[in-house]
Amino acid sequence: MKVGITCYPTYGGSGAVATELGLALAHRGHEVHFITYQQPFRLPVFVPRVAFHEVSIGHYPLFQYPPYDLALAVKMHEVAMQHDLDLLHVHYAIPHATSAWLAKQMLAEIGRTMPVVTTLHGTDITIVGQDHSYHAITKFSIEKSDRITAVSSWLKDETIRAFGCANCRVDVIPNFVDPAVYTRAAHDSALKQELAGGRPILMHISNFRPVKRVLDVVGAFAEVRREAAAVLVMVGDGPDRSAAEDEARRLGVFEDVRFLGRIDGVAPLLAVADVYLLTTDRESFGLSALEAMACGVPVVAAGVGGIVEVVEDGVTGSLHPVGDVKAMGAAALKLIRDQAHWQGQSDAAIARAKAHFGIDDVVSQYEALYQTVK
Ligand code: GMT
């Protein structure tokens, strides 16, 4: 099949999932066209059967807000015609599902059918889509999609609740991980010495947006640090990074926190971590938690949203009330102090990641879905 994929190309789970899916589809012989404003961050320079089409936005002094969604629709229309696409698969509803609907209408004018598959990822439903400025167009664009998928059952239910589209058929296709990449065996363990001088490593990866509650990550680490030697590795960047740095200073643990900034390939880092911390207050899935689990890293998280479908409480990590940094700290401390407990959760995490979220199985689910609209 010839598939057009649109996503946010910069750092973030939805872009990572869309890109890994495109690469896996190409590997299976499909032709994949990424249509977005920048080369997706997980897309290597050249891969057979994969093309990147850059959306360029015309500027004009009248435009205080250049209309990216229109430029995207035009590029989708152009790529669909030039490459005879079979379908458009958009990741994150706003504005991608709307642009795809526009492109579909333009193609219909010349007698071309263009099915649109929309994958809902998280804040497109839970935050941005519920903002009054975007609610009606998000509901419309979701309802006009030929197929809708959500990355967790929780997100599916939340979509139906927030948009009232009781008749929408939303299929749950979870995020996935490649166990050949996300494994301790594939990476150099010497990095652990480099980062932490052999001390246990707690890790967090995100875009440091308020929803991630990165101050709680630092708070939980401070609980651990009070009792044991350890290092916190914070990967990523975003609006709350400075506040997290300040919190580390305030709690007297700044010397033991490494703020690495934005890093695209996180597998080598996860492969040397001992505990993964995820403190988000509304997580639709938690891709980084899954990637950590695949690397055998138990996850200590706030037990909300779709994260409870990823992390099995007490088995592959533990789930706690949002903001309960004491409980999260205590759970992390137990993991780094009790080797047998850590090993049990680590083994279970690897097994769960492979059994429920393996790349081959999930990509097949998308392929099957595509066949229904082709
Ligand atoms: O919704 C977002 O915050 C953006 C998105 C992203 O691009 O990082 O994250 C969401 O999609 C990921 C991939 O499906 C999920 O793993 C994240 O849980 C989800 N983020 C939230 O729900 C906060």
Side-chain angles (χ1 to χ4, degrees):
M1 293 181 76
K2 296 181 180 180
V3 183
I5 293 184
T6 292
C7 61
Y8 281 103
T10 53
Y11 195 49
S14 59
V17 168
T19 309
E20 302 284 3
L21 172 63
L23 293 172
L25 289 167
H27 187 67
R28 291 181 178 204
H30 301 286
E31 193 175 300
V32 176
H33 296 264
F34 286 100
I35 308 166
T36 182
Y37 61 83
Q38 194 177 295
Q39 175 146 330
F41 74 97
R42 283 202 182 173
L43 189 62
V45 181
F46 173 74
V47 177
R49 294 179 293 284
V50 173
F52 162 57
H53 305 270
E54 184 175 346
V55 179
S56 54
I57 312 162
H59 289 274
Y60 187 67
L62 193 61
F63 295 156
Q64 189 175 353
Y65 307 105
Y68 173 69
D69 23 21
L70 298 187
L72 175 59
V74 169
K75 185 58 89 175
M76 285 169 159
H77 173 257
E78 178 189 308
V79 175
M81 297 231 293
Q82 279 180 1
H83 296 276
D84 201 19
L85 296 186
D86 292 306
L87 63 94
L88 289 168
H89 185 176
V90 299
H91 293 257
Y92 203 92
I94 306 168
H96 304 148
T98 312
S99 301
W101 180 78
L102 282 171
K104 180 184 169 116
Q105 301 316 304
M106 290 160 74
L107 289 160
E109 289 293 315
I110 53 162
R112 289 276 318 272
T113 328
M114 183 54 57
V116 173
V117 176
T118 298
T119 291
L120 309 171
H121 280 272
T123 53
D124 45 352
I125 296 304
T126 59
I127 298 180
V128 194
Q130 293 187 41
D131 182 313
H132 185 69
S133 341
Y134 301 113
H135 186 273
I137 193 78
T138 306
K139 175 175 161 63
F140 173 84
S141 310
I142 290 172
E143 288 176 351
K144 290 292 176 189
S145 299
D146 294 278
R147 295 300 296 267
I148 311 156
T149 76
V151 297
S152 63
S153 297
W154 176 82
L155 187 61
K156 170 185 172 172
D157 294 345
E158 186 58 13
T159 304
I160 292 167
R161 187 201 64 75
F163 295 96
C165 44
N167 295 328
C168 290
R169 172 172 172 189
V170 183
D171 289 291
V172 176
I173 300 186
N175 289 332
F176 55 87
V177 68
D178 185 347
V181 176
Y182 289 85
T183 169
R184 288 177 122 75
H187 304 284
D188 189 355
S189 60
L191 183 58
K192 183 162 192 157
Q193 188 64 26
E194 214 41 74
L195 280 170
R199 285 168 289 175
I201 295 178
L202 281 69
M203 194 170 286
H204 171 78
I205 304 171
S206 78
N207 41 29
F208 287 52
R209 278 182 277 158
V211 70
K212 299 288 176 183
R213 296 179 65 102
V214 287
L215 272 60
D216 286 358
V217 175
V218 177
F221 173 68
E223 293 293 322
V224 172
R225 192 58 201 83
R226 240 193 291 283
E227 304 289 333
V231 165
L232 173 63
V233 175
M234 300 284 273
V235 185
D237 212 331
D240 283 350
R241 174 167 170 178
S242 303
E245 291 177 359
D246 287 348
E247 183 73 348
R249 282 191 199 91
R250 190 181 75 77
L251 295 172
V253 294
F254 188 75
E255 292 302 308
D256 295 322
V257 185
R258 313 274 177 266
F259 286 94
L260 300 188
R262 190 187 136 163
I263 292 172
D264 291 344
V266 293
L269 290 165
L270 287 168
V272 296
D274 296 288
V275 179
Y276 189 77
L277 291 170
L278 189 61
T279 50
T280 322
D281 67 10
R282 234 174 313 171
E283 193 73 56
S284 68
F285 185 89
L287 179 65
S288 60
L290 173 61
E291 292 175 340
M293 279 165 52
C295 287
V297 186
V299 176
V300 173
V304 286
I307 194 76
V308 305
E309 296 167 44
V310 180
V311 177
E312 203 178 345
D313 190 23
V315 179
T316 68
S318 56
L319 301 172
H320 307 273
V322 172
D324 193 344
V325 295
K326 281 198 181 309
M328 292 187 216
L333 188 63
K334 183 167 161 56
L335 281 163
I336 63 173
R337 276 190 165 158
D338 182 341
Q339 174 62 25
H341 175 59
W342 183 88
Q343 194 64 56
Q345 293 209 342
S346 171
D347 292 347
I350 294 170
R352 182 166 172 79
K354 279 188 183 151
H356 297 274
F357 306 102
I359 185 168
D360 291 337
D361 179 42
V362 177
V363 172
S364 296
Q365 291 181 45
Y366 278 114
E367 273 182 319
L369 183 109
Y370 293 168
Q371 289 300 335
T372 67
V373 293
K374 201 177 133 193

